[in-house]
Amino acid sequence: MTETLLSGRIFELSSERHITGRRKIKLILHEIFPSHDIWQSNGISWDEAYTAQNLGSVANMSICAEFLDDARSLPYGHGLTDVRDNIPLLEDATVVGHCEKAYIDDIEIDGTVKRVLIADGYIDEMRYPKFVAWLSENLSDGSVKGSVEIVGHPEHDNHIIYDGGWKETGRVPQIYDYSGYAVLGIKPADDTAIVIELNQNQNHKEDNRMDEKMKKELGTLVSGAIAELNSKWDEYYAKVQLKDAEITQLKADIAQKEAEIAQLRADYETANAAKAAAELGIAEANTKISALEKEKKLAELDAALAGFTAEEQAVAQAEIDAFRADPTSVSLDSITGKICVALVRKAKENPTHEQNSAGYPPDIFSGVSDIKGNDDSDIYGA
């Protein structure tokens, strides 16, 4: 059986008796190619043998539409919302009918005979009358398009198996199921996947009146949708402008804070430099003070030792050297005291000397304060 189509135009509509409310529809699911070197615009090349193996899954397959309007009259895409466990979720799509059977046939489209997979089914007119009216109106100029949906088998983790593996172009579905058909308001991957037959009521005048009414309703819907979209866009643009202003202010605040931080850092570095300079000055002053104090102590040592000969000083030479190295390590009194004690001991060890001899005993306390007593025996214990 061959039907002649021109840009999807239908010349004969089925008039067979059917269940009330079920509008018979005939769909081209996809074209079948004579070779794997030919493919549709999304890269799929349909093989007739594999198509025949899998066409049984078309029975009871959903016919769907993703509606743009609340009146459920204008279709858009597939309604895809997510992919979970390799299963596409089409939660924005509405089931408007079902396919009943599928078969392979040749049809002529725009003067060219093509091998295609066709499905017979129905649309639920009682629940979607405006959508059926839209189909009736748009079928007249062949503008109704659609796209078939396929999925993999559970035993293959829901992956579609392709002959020769997946390819960007020329991939051939081999093991899969037909899962649905979406009536589209956008360009389909397969231009051949169009609605090719819709059963019409016999009362053409009533249909014509309904068509005119639908035209007005659709025009109102489109105008309302555009107005609503523009309103939402204006609202969105106002929000964007507000956010831009807030961002600009935040950037200015950040720049001000960064300037304040930079100034604080500069002040901190200046203060640190001043502190370091002051500490250096204090250290230098302390060094000078220490040097002067040491010079003073050494002068006091020289003055204290002036009354002793080098031989007499030798008994305390270690203490003298330590004092000269660090005046704080040894007391000056301990040095002179040690020398005096040595001189007293020496005087006791030499009693044969005439005590009244000139210059004897030596004045061992000449380097310290004067000592007063009753007589010399108080000093030497004799």
Side-chain angles (χ1 to χ4, degrees):
M1 169 180 152
T2 301
E3 297 187 41
T4 301
L5 299 179
L6 181 60
S7 298
R9 184 182 297 277
I10 300 174
F11 289 92
E12 291 187 9
L13 301 176
S14 174
S15 60
E16 64 180 282
R17 184 178 180 275
H18 60 276
I19 298 174
T20 301
R22 295 185 186 178
R23 297 295 296 274
K24 290 290 185 179
I25 192 169
K26 190 181 293 291
L27 313 168
I28 292 179
L29 301 185
H30 60 74
E31 183 176 358
I32 298 171
F33 300 103
S35 152
H36 295 176
D37 295 328
I38 305 173
W39 51 80
Q40 61 192 41
S41 60
N42 67 353
I44 292 180
S45 179
W46 298 98
D47 179 270
E48 182 166 352
Y50 299 142
T51 299
Q53 290 175 10
N54 297 299
L55 63 79
S57 59
V58 174
N60 296 317
M61 183 178 75
S62 298
I63 301 172
C64 304
E66 179 186 8
F67 289 118
L68 286 174
D69 57 327
D70 294 336
R72 300 186 297 187
S73 62
L74 302 174
Y76 180 64
H78 286 266
L80 180 67
T81 57
D82 198 359
V83 177
R84 191 175 302 161
D85 298 329
N86 301 319
I87 299 175
L89 302 182
L90 309 168
E91 297 169 290
D92 288 341
T94 300
V95 177
V96 296
H98 289 87
C99 295
E100 297 175 308
K101 64 178 181 179
Y103 50 93
I104 297 172
D105 204 349
D106 294 322
I107 64 170
E108 185 176 324
I109 299 178
D110 294 337
T112 302
V113 176
K114 295 188 176 184
R115 192 76 167 163
V116 296
L117 175 62
I118 300 174
D120 290 339
Y122 64 88
I123 301 293
D124 191 337
E125 185 176 14
M126 292 187 293
R127 290 167 179 80
Y128 307 101
K130 293 182 176 63
F131 177 58
V132 172
W134 180 87
L135 286 172
S136 299
E137 180 179 355
N138 287 275
L139 279 172
S140 62
D141 59 8
S143 61
V144 179
K145 305 290 184 178
S147 179
V148 70
E149 301 158 356
I150 61 174
V151 294
H153 292 175
E155 59 268 26
H156 297 140
D157 198 22
N158 301 319
H159 286 292
I160 298 168
I161 303 302
Y162 295 92
D163 184 357
W166 190 94
K167 304 173 185 176
E168 184 70 28
T169 56
R171 61 185 179 278
V172 181
Q174 180 179 0
I175 302 174
Y176 61 92
D177 284 328
Y178 292 98
S179 59
Y181 182 92
V183 180
L184 302 178
I186 57 177
K187 178 178 174 58
D190 183 0
D191 290 335
T192 311
I194 56 177
V195 179
I196 61 173
E197 183 172 324
L198 178 72
N199 186 31
Q200 298 266 10
N201 288 330
Q202 299 301 314
N203 191 340
H204 297 289
K205 291 183 179 180
E206 182 179 350
D207 283 344
N208 289 336
R209 287 194 299 271
M210 180 63 72
D211 288 343
E212 291 300 324
K213 180 180 178 182
M214 284 305 304
K215 287 179 181 179
K216 293 179 180 179
E217 289 181 356
L218 290 174
T220 302
L221 285 171
V222 171
S223 299
I226 292 174
E228 182 180 359
L229 182 61
N230 288 337
S231 176
K232 289 182 177 180
W233 172 250
D234 291 340
E235 180 182 353
Y236 171 76
Y237 186 69
K239 290 181 179 179
V240 170
Q241 285 185 315
L242 179 60
K243 291 298 181 184
D244 285 344
E246 291 177 357
I247 291 171
T248 300
Q249 183 60 48
L250 287 173
K251 287 181 178 178
D253 293 343
I254 291 171
Q256 181 180 353
K257 294 300 181 184
E258 288 177 345
E260 293 175 358
I261 291 170
Q263 184 60 49
L264 288 172
R265 285 176 177 169
D267 294 344
Y268 176 77
E269 291 173 358
T270 300
N272 272 351
K275 179 183 176 183
E279 289 176 347
L280 179 61
I282 292 171
E284 291 176 351
N286 287 336
T287 300
K288 290 180 180 179
I289 291 171
S290 297
L292 290 174
E293 288 179 346
K294 184 175 182 180
E295 289 178 3
K296 178 183 176 183
K297 292 289 185 180
L298 292 177
E300 292 176 354
L301 175 65
D302 291 340
L305 297 177
F308 301 106
T309 66
E311 181 182 357
E312 292 169 343
Q313 293 177 21
V315 69
Q317 191 62 49
E319 288 78 0
I320 293 171
D321 292 340
F323 187 91
R324 291 188 183 282
D326 181 9
T328 63
S329 63
V330 181
S331 71
L332 184 58
D333 290 341
S334 67
I335 294 174
T336 56
K338 187 174 183 178
I339 296 173
C340 290
V341 170
L343 289 175
V344 170
R345 184 180 295 115
K346 183 176 181 181
K348 286 186 176 184
E349 292 173 353
N350 296 280
T352 58
H353 290 281
E354 295 182 4
Q355 295 182 1
N356 293 326
S357 299
Y360 193 87
D363 186 3
I364 61 176
F365 298 107
S366 62
V368 293
S369 58
D370 293 337
I371 301 174
K372 294 181 181 181
N374 295 327
D375 53 33
D376 289 343
S377 62
D378 290 337
I379 299 175
Y380 301 110

